[in-house]
């Protein structure tokens, strides 16, 4: 059954999904790799569509796969699909340009975080709705972190109490994200980094253990386990 988005919602979600995903090994673009028999992108979009505030979802697909992605997602949710760019920032900009009038909150979400729960989408959106210009979900860093020199000799131990691991979706007031992309110079892989360069304060909300980024074969195996445990 195709999910119905909220016509009165105030949230648009951009999903840059044009990356190759070389660390997952050879094969199709990362967003189209299979997890439990379905592409990562399908899992991600299904969960985004389940968030009550979402009005629009825009996917930036590999240019050669745009029609295939439209057909893939048609049974999942009414999604706008546009050609992505060579780099993530270009894909986000292309998706942002396709957002219709209406939503005042824009979230940017990695398709590789395919199991992100709808509750996290709503948490990020609520923080922006509450007055924050930019919001990121984070988890505490639990590993000991060492600073290492070029010769692989430890230079020191980093205080992890002030460190956070950043997840997606990252949320922004629409005008803030649009201005950051319009002023972008060097390409960044993190949209919060773009708005930081514009002097905008970025706030944090608690992330989710399920929002793991599927980058390596081990991550894919972990996601399979999480899906099986949840089912």
């Amino acid at each position: 059954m195709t999910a119905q988005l909220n016509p009165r919602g105030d949230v648009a979600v951009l999903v840059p999904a044009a990356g190759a995903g070389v660390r997952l090994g050879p094969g199709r673009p990362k967003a189209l790799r299979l997890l439990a028999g379905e592409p990562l992108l399908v899992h991600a979009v299904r969960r985004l569509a389940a968030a009550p505030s979402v009005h629009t979802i825009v996917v930036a697909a590999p240019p050669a796969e745009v029609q295939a992605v439209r057909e893939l997602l048609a049974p999942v949710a009414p999604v706008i699909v546009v050609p992505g760019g060579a780099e993530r920032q270009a894909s986000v900009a292309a998706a942002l340009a396709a957002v219709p009038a209406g939503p005042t909150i824009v979230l940017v979400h990695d398709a590789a975080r395919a199991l992100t729960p709808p509750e996290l989408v709503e948490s990020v959106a609520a923080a922006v709705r509450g007055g924050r210009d930019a919001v990121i979900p984070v988890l505490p860093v639990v590993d000991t972190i060492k600073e290492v020199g070029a010769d692989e000799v430890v230079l020191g131990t980093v205080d992890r109490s002030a460190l956070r691991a950043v997840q997606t979706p990252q949320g922004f007031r629409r005008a803030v994200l649009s201005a950051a992309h319009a002023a972008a110079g060097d390409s960044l892989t993190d949209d919060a980094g773009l708005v930081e360069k514009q002097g905008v304060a970025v706030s944090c909300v608690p992330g989710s253990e399920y929002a793991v980024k599927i980058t390596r074969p081990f991550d894919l195996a972990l996601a399979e386990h999480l899906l099986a445990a949840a089912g």
Side-chain angles (χ1 to χ4, degrees), residues 17 28-29 32 41 61-72 81-83:
R28 301 194 74 190
L32 302 180
L41 183 59
E65 304 273 2
V66 169
Q67 186 56 36
V69 169
R70 286 193 183 113
E71 294 171 1
L72 176 71
V81 182
V82 299

Side-chain angles (χ1 to χ4, degrees), residues 115-182:
L115 302 185
T116 299
E119 293 79 11
L120 184 58
V121 176
E122 288 298 305
S123 175
V124 172
V128 179
R129 195 177 297 119
R132 304 293 187 178
D133 285 332
V135 177
I136 56 175
V138 301
L139 292 177
V141 173
V142 296
D143 292 322
T144 297
I145 305 297
K146 300 285 187 182
E147 181 182 2
V148 179
D151 55 359
E152 296 300 314
V153 173
V154 172
L155 302 177
T157 302
V158 180
D159 179 7
R160 70 186 180 196
S161 64
L163 300 179
R164 299 292 183 271
V166 180
Q167 301 179 320
T168 69
Q170 299 183 354
F172 309 90
R173 285 198 303 112
R174 183 172 180 170
V176 167
L177 186 61
S178 295
H181 274 273

Side-chain angles (χ1 to χ4, degrees), residues 26-27 38 46 50 148 155 185 191 193 196 207 214:
E38 292 185 305
R46 182 180 293 126
V148 179
L155 302 177
D191 291 277
E196 287 167 30
I214 299 170

Side-chain angles (χ1 to χ4, degrees), residues 202-231:
V202 178
S203 301
C204 300
V205 297
S208 168
E209 298 287 354
Y210 282 89
V212 58
K213 188 175 184 181
I214 299 170
T215 301
R216 304 158 299 165
F218 175 82
D219 304 324
L220 199 57
L222 174 60
E224 294 266 6
H225 173 74
L226 292 173
L227 265 181

